[in-house]
Amino acid sequence: MSLTLRTISREQHLAYIQSLPSASHMQVPAWADVKAEWRSESLGWFDKSGELVGVGLVLYRQLPKIKRYLAYLPEGPVINWFAPNLTDWLEPMLAHLKHQGAFSVKMGPPVIIRRWEASSIKAGIQNPDVKRLRDIEADFIEPRAFEVADKLRRMGWQQGEDGGAGFGDVQPRYVYQVPLANRSLEEVHKNFNQLWRRNIKKAEKAGVEVVQGGYQDLAEWQRLYEITAVRDHFRPRPLSYFQRMWTALNTEDPNRMRLYFARHNGVNLSAATMLIVGGHVWYSYGASDNIGREVRPSNAMQWRMLRDAYALGATVYDLRGISDSLDETDHLFGLIQFKVGTGGQAAEYLGEWDFPLNKLLHKALDIYMSRR
């Protein structure tokens, strides 16, 4: 199958994404507007008959002082990763990006290698010999994913160093997902652990209400998010980022991004953003106050978001990144514990891969990034 690659319009790009069951929210054209500090381009792969068969959103970040770029395809490109002729897809992309001045390419194949059920993870947490997720035997393995990794290595791609933590500027390698396809809401609820079910009941009894917010409520979201940042020691994104995200994504599709608040006696205690692309729904950012935790607002909010995702016909509710550490002293352990309570599955992606088009500049970037 001979493929050609060229720049496509945002309209072509969006129409193709809309024709799929789902794709990453970082591969929709509007994501380019969210990442305003990067230059962007929509790429399209065409087959012999001229039909569009794959797309990719490329973000270009310029190196200081010189006109050379890091080309980044977050959680993309959106192509047939299991195609036997993967080289025919990726070679034209590398040639094109090199022509555009890229010195290095980073991509994140949206390919899952392994999945672990909540019950297996719980057993792992209780086993003192188990330190990481990968120490537990997976409940599902995708053999074709190993072939993809093998092909990429042979082509000269290098697996990115994510240290397993899956946070920072790179996309998370490990995520937590609640499958919704072919399941009733009762089944989903029954799969929650006892603590989750108890907390949902507690919030209901206390009169916690969960409401959807709009653009005008983003300042209130920011208030809760900044409280969270202080508590959890991370640098918060500015309000302007979320305003841009809301405007860009919901201009493209009025139901792309949602905002939720859990409130008690008229006071907002926790908040979250939700992203929707086809059948894939993400819990994207979360925030909570230091007060009112006893009425369990976060559990109530997640249960409402999950029900809304189900009502939208979603096949998966994605709680995004987790660390692969199962060590109870790890500062990210509470996060996996909270997410495992939903009874879903941990999933491991292939991770991010780099192709140095100019080895010297690629190395210089590595050194620059490690000093930041």
Side-chain angles (χ1 to χ4, degrees), residues 131-165:
K131 296 282 179 271
R132 302 202 161 274
L133 208 45
R134 57 182 81 168
D135 297 339
I136 304 170
E137 193 181 337
D139 294 290
F140 166 81
I141 289 180
E142 173 54 83
R144 294 179 301 171
F146 295 95
E147 285 175 42
V148 173
D150 211 39
K151 284 176 187 167
L152 291 176
R153 274 190 206 98
R154 283 206 299 270
M155 279 191 245
W157 288 86
Q158 301 164 2
Q159 196 153 18
E161 295 296 318
D162 68 347

Side-chain angles (χ1 to χ4, degrees), residues 61-69 101 103 361 365 368:
R61 171 65 71 85
Q62 191 173 344
L63 265 188
K65 299 189 177 66
I66 53 171
K67 268 206 134 66
R68 300 302 292 278
Y69 303 87
F103 67 89
L361 286 176
L365 179 80
Y368 169 71

Side-chain angles (χ1 to χ4, degrees), residues 5 39 41 43 58 60 67-73 90-106 157 355-361:
L5 177 134
R39 180 165 71 87
E41 183 184 18
L43 296 182
V58 189
Y60 294 98
K67 268 206 134 66
R68 300 302 292 278
Y69 303 87
L70 165 68
Y72 183 30
L73 294 98
L90 297 179
E91 289 299 334
M93 179 181 89
L94 288 174
H96 176 86
L97 297 176
K98 189 173 189 170
H99 185 68
Q100 293 282 46
F103 67 89
S104 187
V105 181
K106 185 187 275 294
W157 288 86
F355 196 100
L357 292 164
N358 178 319
K359 290 193 168 62
L360 200 68
L361 286 176

Side-chain angles (χ1 to χ4, degrees), residues 137-367:
E137 193 181 337
D139 294 290
F140 166 81
I141 289 180
E142 173 54 83
R144 294 179 301 171
F146 295 95
E147 285 175 42
V148 173
D150 211 39
K151 284 176 187 167
L152 291 176
R153 274 190 206 98
R154 283 206 299 270
M155 279 191 245
W157 288 86
Q158 301 164 2
Q159 196 153 18
E161 295 296 318
D162 68 347
F167 292 97
D169 285 337
V170 294
Q171 297 315 316
R173 178 150 181 193
Y174 296 90
V175 300
Y176 208 84
Q177 300 178 336
V178 181
L180 299 176
N182 309 316
R183 296 174 75 198
S184 68
L185 267 179
E186 290 70 45
E187 274 175 79
V188 173
H189 185 264
K190 218 163 53 203
N191 249 11
F192 283 170
N193 69 10
Q194 236 177 331
L195 185 64
W196 260 84
R197 291 202 300 268
R198 210 167 44 232
N199 286 346
I200 290 167
K201 215 178 221 140
K202 199 181 258 183
E204 239 165 70
K205 245 195 185 126
V208 171
E209 52 167 348
V210 181
V211 296
Q212 261 183 264
Y215 181 87
Q216 69 285 355
D217 302 301
L218 285 169
E220 172 64 358
W221 146 265
Q222 192 72 14
R223 180 185 73 81
L224 291 167
Y225 173 62
E226 285 178 12
I227 290 170
T228 310
V230 172
R231 186 177 64 237
D232 294 349
H233 313 290
F234 65 84
R235 201 166 79 216
R237 290 189 181 276
L239 172 60
S240 57
Y241 180 82
F242 295 102
Q243 289 172 328
R244 191 165 67 233
M245 197 171 172
W246 182 277
T247 306
L249 296 177
N250 288 337
T251 300
E252 178 175 277
D253 180 331
N255 203 20
R256 185 76 84 219
M257 179 176 176
R258 290 184 179 190
L259 177 62
Y260 287 84
F261 291 99
R263 57 171 66 143
H264 185 241
N265 295 336
V267 179
N268 292 318
L269 298 176
S270 58
T273 62
M274 183 160 115
L275 300 176
I276 301 150
V277 183
H280 203 128
V281 171
W282 292 265
Y283 153 54
S284 171
Y285 283 88
S288 61
D289 206 329
N290 298 325
I291 57 165
R293 300 187 142 209
E294 67 287 348
V295 295
R296 306 297 174 200
S298 294
N299 298 88
M301 184 173 64
Q302 288 294 343
W303 177 227
R304 162 73 191 272
M305 288 164 73
L306 216 151
R307 294 199 316 266
D308 285 1
Y310 189 88
L312 286 167
T315 53
V316 62
Y317 181 69
D318 196 322
L319 291 138
R320 289 293 282 166
I322 51 170
S323 155
D324 77 329
S325 170
L326 298 179
D327 176 356
E328 299 194 17
T329 61
D330 190 299
H331 72 291
L332 292 169
F333 179 73
L335 191 65
I336 191 167
Q337 212 175 20
F338 178 76
K339 293 178 182 183
V340 166
T342 61
Q345 304 167 332
E348 179 190 359
Y349 279 91
L350 260 188
E352 296 202 314
W353 293 71
D354 297 302
F355 196 100
L357 292 164
N358 178 319
K359 290 193 168 62
L360 200 68
L361 286 176
H362 179 81
K363 187 84 194 124
L365 179 80
D366 267 357
I367 294 165

